[in-house]
Amino acid sequence: ASASGLVHVSQIKDGFVEDVSAEVQVGQQVQVRIVNVDMERSKMSLSMRSNGGASPAARPPADLSVFDGIPSDQWLDGKVARTAPFGAFVTVTAPDSDATADGLVH
């Protein structure tokens, strides 16, 4: 038996995928793992990542506490790290600190 499933761009490889067509081609044979099967919607989610779709263990959650309490009308310095069709990822520096964090502008 065979079935079709979706490999989301975030599940193509460990790390950021800027261009899907640079990673996979139509007709290419690949190895995948099943992440989720939704019988009601007849959909299957797949992963090509080496860790099977789990979040990378080497990257702990960012400590954003230095940004807590900054009012939304205060401007911060940032540097565009990369762009995507849905927005830009910006590395922001906290006021009066060397602390940085990445955020999405969309």
Side-chain angles (χ1 to χ4, degrees):
S2 66
S4 296
L6 173 69
V7 177
H8 187 269
V9 66
S10 66
Q11 297 298 313
I12 291 175
K13 71 174 188 177
D14 296 325
F16 180 71
V17 174
E18 188 167 335
D19 181 9
V20 173
S21 64
E23 303 296 331
V24 293
Q25 310 299 316
V26 173
Q28 177 183 347
Q29 293 288 321
V30 296
Q31 289 191 322
V32 296
R33 297 176 193 214
I34 298 173
V35 175
N36 184 46
V37 176
D38 185 339
M39 296 297 287
E40 289 180 15
R41 297 172 57 197
S42 297
K43 295 192 179 209
M44 183 167 45
S45 299
L46 306 171
S47 177
M48 293 170 53
R49 289 173 52 171
S50 61
N51 63 6
S55 296
R59 187 173 180 182
D63 178 10
L64 301 176
S65 60
V66 70
F67 295 92
D68 190 34
I70 297 175
S72 62
D73 61 350
Q74 182 176 342
W75 292 97
L76 303 175
D77 292 327
K79 181 178 180 180
V80 175
R82 66 182 188 268
T83 61
F86 50 83
F89 291 90
V90 177
T91 302
V92 181
T93 304
D96 304 320
S97 173
D98 290 334
T100 63
D102 292 334
L104 173 63
V105 180
H106 63 97

